[in-house]
Amino acid sequence: MRRRSFLMLAGLSSLFWSSMLRELFAAQGPTVVVAEGTDHDRITRSAVNALGGMKRFVKPGNTVVVKPNMGWDRTPELAANTNPLVVAAIVDECLRAGAKKVKVFDRTCNDQRRCYKSSGIEAALKGMKGVEVKHPEEERFKKVSLGGKVLKECELYDEALSADVFINVPVLKHHGLSRLTIGMKNIMGILGGKRGSIHKHLDVALADINSVFKTHLTVVDATRILTAHGPQGGDIRDVKLLNKVLASTDIVAVDAVATTLFGLKPEDIAVTVEAHRRGLGEIRPERMKIVRI
Amino acid sequence: MRKLPPHRICQLLFLALFLVLFLMTEYRGSDRIVAAVNGFFRADPLTAVTTMLATKSFVPLLLPGLLVLFFSLFLGRFFCGWLCPLGTLLDLVTKRVGKSVAPLTIHRSVKYWLLLPLLAASLFGLNLAGLLDPIAILLRGLTFALHPLLGNTLRGGWRGLYGIMGESRDLIAPAYRLVNDYLLPFREALYPLAFASLLLLGLVILLERAGERTWCRTLCPLGTLLGIAARFSPLVRTPDAPCSACRRCAHVCPSGFDRQLMQKEECLDCMACVAACPSGKVRFSFGLLREEGLLMERRVLLGGLLSGFFLARLFRFRDPAAQARLLRPPGVRDEGEFLQKCVRCGECMKVCLRSALYPAIGRAGLEGLYTPELIPRLGYCEYNCTLCGQVCPTGAIPDLPAEEKKREVIGKAVFDKNHCLPFARRIDCIVCEEHCPIPQKAIRSETVVMTGFDGEKRSVKAPYVVEELCNGCGICENVCPLEGRAGIEVFAVKTRTPLAAEPAAGGPAPATDAPYGG
């Protein structure tokens, strides 16, 4: 009798162990949350909560920089800038987690004032205590040594460098050169100097920059995506309403999953491939834990 | 404190208004400018007369100017004594400038030799009035020289503070923000002719050394025009000559009594003589017109008009190479018509969001001096912006709604394949395509497989311009990462037919929610 029960125990435990082992392997990959819903504020918060909540990233008294995409003079429906509701939700979550100061800025491509206004982000954050929506100033870009493959050094914004937490909030959209622009490329918003000169080797340059500058949390706005004529669009027919928000601590992983929303494979985007090759994150969806809520 | 006479109060109010409007002629967060300093130009009779002469049509925008001229027929040069901001400025600084011992006498005909050629030239299609118009002189001095100087100085100081204080400078940032947002120009633009504009303003002020309001009395074409109208005014001063024993009124008169008789075309209606007369004998009242002396000699009249004709006809040379790159603000379709209407006030250049407009020096010939031209390498025309058309006092740049302005053609972009990176160096770029604001993209790219100069085979995106979609805004040339000359340049075109309107969206509309507020 005891041998039989022993064999049963061994057989059952092997099942238990194999699923445990599977869990073990899966837990080693990064978690990417894909939240879906029409309430863009709510799904943003759920996405962050599914990662452990904003308190996992922001400690009381922290200075946080939230870097949305607001580089273009376009209104929110045109999906050239990050959805203001998504940005406001992130900022609010930071404040609730106890952040002392939340700074929101972007080095725009069009007129600074028009971009901040048309994107709706400045208005969405108006009146929130402890929140500074400000224009970057020329003198505050600091030289950062990269020692990268193509960029030996670059200029990054001092407030982004000195922040306790950096939250990257890009909008998912088409881009003529890199095909898509997501988290990795959104870092260009804190880049100083002549940004246009890195396009000749964009994928390698972005890997150089992101190797040194770490993003704590990336939240990809896929509520509305720009499917063509990016990165600024202008034609409402190019915008697709997806109602999704992705979040991850792994900037490469979230870019990879976001790519699939376009019907493309992660390897189709050179920027993501180069980043993975440099060990900045995971590119293979099967190695990630994708949580859909 | 001495009680201010009524005309002084009015002067100060209008000068304050001018300065406030000047600071408000700027993008302030709304697509339409609420109030702009162009109000002063629209009420400027010289602007009104010369523009209507040049266009040979009634320009409704300039009706206030005609009204001022009309009222001057009854009230004399009240504009000069009560409203003109440059006149007020002169009054304020005249004591500081001092007076030279030997007074400079400017012959009384000189002002007619300035006004008449201006009027005649306008009649023959060349509107140069803005060059010597007092409001334009003041505005240009502020816009091109003094305001940028203030901005650069304060901003330079603010920047230097960062080098000393670092991030702790944020503590005093709110105070700086206030100054920056309301007093300083938003962009740092360096204008050509900045020194010349300041010099002209400075010379007008310096003329005060020869006597109070020397410019107004002896040179100002606007004042001269109003003076001619003042000749018909029934508003007369009695007595018409200073009493030989006293002469106090002649002393205080800003326009001076350089002759025994008061000159009606020079009187600024300030009524200082009324206040100064110890026996209260001086009165201004409506009465019968007196017999006045000759306004100007016949040869001055004929000579002035003829000079204007020559001015309009002889400064027509244009260098063709420069012409190819002469770009005008959006909405300007015909160069000739533009030159007739542009009063060279400088407002469009002040308000341009991206500092794209600059006063032309040589590219538009001498006849185009101080008219605005767009220099893409320095600034581009922001797609959704319509500010220049809003502030133009004469409509030389039309005030168009945004959807129409986007379709106006400034020029057409052309690639310089000798420089453009994908062609010349076989490496990727297309920053121009990235920034092209046309929703359907006027710059597109085709993927070409080529062997790089390093021997590596690679695919490169080679850009090309879709001419039917390009409106010549210039952002492509502006952002091209090449140093010096850009790999894509905007060239002027003769026929500036607007771009075709967007075809109606075919098929089902995409599922969009209601636009977000803000």
Side-chain angles (χ1 to χ4, degrees), chain B residues 27-93:
Chain B
Y27 177 71
R28 293 244 170 255
S30 133
D31 284 343
R32 290 211 62 92
I33 283 194
V34 171
V37 78
N38 68 352
F40 274 83
F41 280 103
R42 292 173 52 200
D44 179 331
L46 186 65
T47 310
V49 169
T50 52
T51 308
M52 293 195 216
L53 275 177
T55 56
K56 321 244 182 334
S57 66
F58 178 68
V59 181
L61 275 175
L62 298 172
L63 180 62
L66 286 183
L67 283 174
V68 171
L69 187 61
F70 179 73
F71 281 117
S72 303
L73 286 171
F74 297 97
L75 299 172
R77 283 175 70 166
F78 73 97
F79 179 88
C80 305
W82 292 62
L83 305 180
C84 181
L86 182 58
T88 312
L89 181 65
L90 291 178
D91 275 346
L92 290 173
V93 302

Side-chain angles (χ1 to χ4, degrees), chain A residues 11-207:
Chain A
L12 282 170
S13 65
S14 72
L15 277 171
F16 174 67
W17 278 116
S18 66
S19 62
M20 260 275 295
L21 281 167
R22 217 182 301 134
E23 276 292 317
L24 221 58
F25 273 112
Q28 276 172 1
T31 309
V32 177
V33 179
V34 183
E36 184 166 0
T38 49
D39 184 343
H40 299 153
D41 176 281
R42 195 185 56 76
I43 61 171
T44 308
R45 295 179 200 263
S46 333
V48 174
N49 287 334
L51 282 176
M54 193 58 86
K55 56 181 174 14
R56 180 183 157 196
F57 309 100
V58 177
K59 304 288 173 262
N62 273 171
T63 302
V64 184
V65 165
V66 172
K67 160 69 182 82
N69 204 321
M70 40 179 184
W72 304 100
D73 178 17
R74 297 281 191 229
T75 47
E77 322 76 70
L78 294 171
N81 297 317
T82 310
N83 186 333
L85 288 183
V86 172
V87 180
I90 300 274
V91 170
D92 186 59
E93 285 296 316
C94 291
L95 291 171
R96 285 196 198 193
K100 187 176 76 173
K101 228 187 265 183
V102 181
K103 300 180 190 178
V104 183
F105 51 80
D106 193 3
R107 188 179 167 208
T108 62
C109 295
N110 293 138
D111 181 79
Q112 195 84 37
R113 298 162 291 179
R114 283 200 69 97
C115 292
Y116 275 43
K117 176 152 194 296
S118 299
S119 64
I121 292 173
E122 191 168 37
L125 299 177
K126 205 177 169 78
M128 289 172 91
K129 273 191 81 79
V131 178
E132 285 175 27
V133 179
K134 54 212 297 202
H135 298 310
E137 290 169 283
E138 284 294 309
E139 62 271 19
R140 299 184 79 153
F141 285 99
K142 279 204 166 79
K143 266 203 173 49
V144 175
S145 176
L146 296 176
K149 273 201 215 160
V150 293
L151 292 180
K152 294 289 160 268
E153 60 174 18
C154 73
E155 282 179 23
L156 294 175
Y157 205 61
D158 73 341
E159 286 184 290
L161 290 169
S162 65
D164 297 309
V165 186
F166 183 83
I167 303 178
N168 193 1
V169 195
V171 61
L172 174 59
K173 50 181 182 170
H174 170 264
H175 190 279
L177 182 64
S178 61
R179 205 147 176 204
L180 290 183
T181 160
I182 330 170
M184 290 281 295
K185 191 159 182 318
N186 195 34
I187 297 298
M188 286 186 76
I190 58 159
L191 188 64
K194 294 190 67 178
R195 296 186 286 184
S197 57
I198 73 169
H199 288 64
K200 48 184 180 274
H201 36 224
L202 190 61
D203 50 348
V204 187
L206 285 180

Side-chain angles (χ1 to χ4, degrees), chain B residues 491-502:
Chain B
F491 284 88
V493 291
K494 205 85 179 49
T495 31
R496 299 171 203 165
T497 327
L499 306 176
E502 277 280 298

Side-chain angles (χ1 to χ4, degrees), chain B residues 74-78 108 111-112 217 226-227 230-243 247-274 281-285 288-295:
Chain B
F74 297 97
L75 299 172
R77 283 175 70 166
F78 73 97
R108 55 188 289 266
K111 58 185 185 234
Y112 298 111
R217 193 165 34 91
L226 293 175
R231 270 293 183 111
F232 299 98
S233 146
L235 189 68
V236 290
R237 175 191 181 270
T238 42
D240 58 353
C243 312
R247 294 191 65 87
R248 257 208 69 71
C249 53
H251 252 95
V252 300
C253 175
S255 47
F257 274 74
D258 55 349
R259 285 172 297 281
Q260 260 296 96
L261 285 173
M262 188 201 86
Q263 301 301 305
K264 230 162 124 200
E265 69 270 17
E266 289 179 10
C267 171
L268 307 180
D269 285 359
C270 67
M271 321 243 177
C273 50
V274 176
K281 272 205 280 186
V282 183
R283 258 176 46 237
F284 273 84
S285 55
L288 287 168
L289 286 176
R290 272 198 295 262
E291 180 68 39
E292 298 275 345
L294 202 62
L295 189 62

